[in-house]
Amino acid sequence: MLGAQHLDWEEVKSFAVVADAGSVRRAAKALGVHHSTVSRRIDNLEYALGTKLFDRQPEGFVLNAAGEEFVAAVRDCGVQLNRAERSISGQDGDMSGVVTITMPEPIAVHTFGPRLSEFTSQYPGIEVRMIATTNILDVSRREADIAIRIDNNPPQSLVGKRIITYNQTVYATQDYLDSQDFENDPESARWVAWDSEDDKFPEWTKETEFSKVPMWGCFPGAAMQLSAAKGGLGLAMIPCFIGDREPQLVRATKRKPIKARDIWLLTHSDLRRTARIKAFMTFSEKVLRDARHEFLGTI
């Protein structure tokens, strides 16, 4: 067997993706290359190692014993490289370079977008790359340097602080509210349902005065919920910092907003002393705290 110094790392990377995907075609799609390229890389790697790593089966590529051993070594190598990268980055005291931050799109658009020029004016050498998504990116693997998470139980591998708990309440268009008789005929109205749960009258609606209004449809996303409510489809439970900004929507209740989830500002312990990361963490905390009344719905 050849030494590791003779291995092609593109081939090793392709092997790891195929091992996770279970298919050359799925791996090729993830890597952005043709499936024949991935097949060739796997063949070359197996030739270099002098052993087969997969059993080729009709349902896909299945790791054999050698493959299981090799994929464990590859993943351990990846962990060590990420750890070294974080450690080296943590020694950087220069106020220049790139900071990648991930956060939900509504916070990125409404809360951070209007304020970013303040940061760039103070730190012109730091380039900000923002990933606006609700997907959980892995800060430990450097998919992002900083994460703003809406999460009541953030991962223990990260460090940071809970900034605030945002509130939510019921929104609808005024026309929709005027068209419904919630007191005498609540079942003719509808909640815009988050998922396709069987329970048409979930427990959480009892915190509102619309507990007898049934769920309808399936709209599993904040943007879809918001759009459906703005279109007059029904009632929607929406975070105050989103709903209060929409001129087409009104609060459907005079009750106080309901506590929802925590907003955390997080990074990896190896990065928290890096100058540019620390600078953006400080800036982020200020931006979030300045928006306190919007998150609480007290504006």
Side-chain angles (χ1 to χ4, degrees), residues 120-176:
T120 57
S121 295
Q122 187 174 1
Y123 303 106
I126 300 177
E127 179 182 347
V128 178
R129 296 179 182 175
M130 190 171 291
I131 304 173
T133 179
T134 54
N135 295 333
I136 305 300
L137 300 186
D138 194 339
V139 177
S140 297
R141 296 178 62 182
R142 296 304 303 278
E143 293 178 341
D145 300 313
I146 300 170
I148 293 175
R149 295 259 179 93
I150 294 177
D151 194 340
N152 288 348
N153 296 289
Q156 295 182 354
S157 59
L158 302 181
V159 296
K161 63 177 70 175
R162 182 180 67 83
I163 303 299
I164 197 169
T165 300
Y166 75 85
N167 290 340
Q168 60 188 5
T169 192
V170 188
Y171 292 88
T173 63
Q174 188 62 57
D175 286 345
Y176 184 79

Side-chain angles (χ1 to χ4, degrees), residues 223-267:
M224 287 188 287
Q225 289 262 312
L226 185 67
S227 180
K230 287 167 60 177
L233 188 62
L235 305 169
M237 183 67 78
I238 297 173
C240 295
F241 72 93
I242 299 175
D244 286 342
R245 293 178 178 274
E246 295 293 337
Q248 294 167 261
L249 295 178
V250 297
R251 292 189 182 186
T253 175
K254 295 188 181 300
R255 297 187 183 184
K256 290 183 178 181
I258 301 167
K259 284 189 175 182
R261 301 172 72 189
D262 296 334
I263 298 177
W264 287 78
L265 177 61
L266 302 164
T267 188

Side-chain angles (χ1 to χ4, degrees), residues 213-226:
V213 174
M215 291 287 156
W216 187 91
C218 177
F219 301 86
M224 287 188 287
Q225 289 262 312
L226 185 67

Side-chain angles (χ1 to χ4, degrees), residues 191 200-213 215 237 255:
W191 280 99
K200 294 295 182 183
F201 304 94
E203 188 69 24
W204 63 264
T205 62
K206 293 180 181 178
E207 297 184 63
T208 76
E209 61 263 60
F210 304 106
S211 60
K212 295 181 181 179
V213 174
M215 291 287 156
M237 183 67 78
R255 297 187 183 184

Side-chain angles (χ1 to χ4, degrees), residues 82-103:
N82 284 325
R83 183 176 298 146
E85 182 183 2
R86 291 195 304 268
S87 178
I88 293 169
S89 297
Q91 298 172 20
D92 180 10
D94 188 17
M95 285 296 188
S96 64
V98 174
V99 173
T100 303
I101 178 168
T102 176
M103 66 183 74

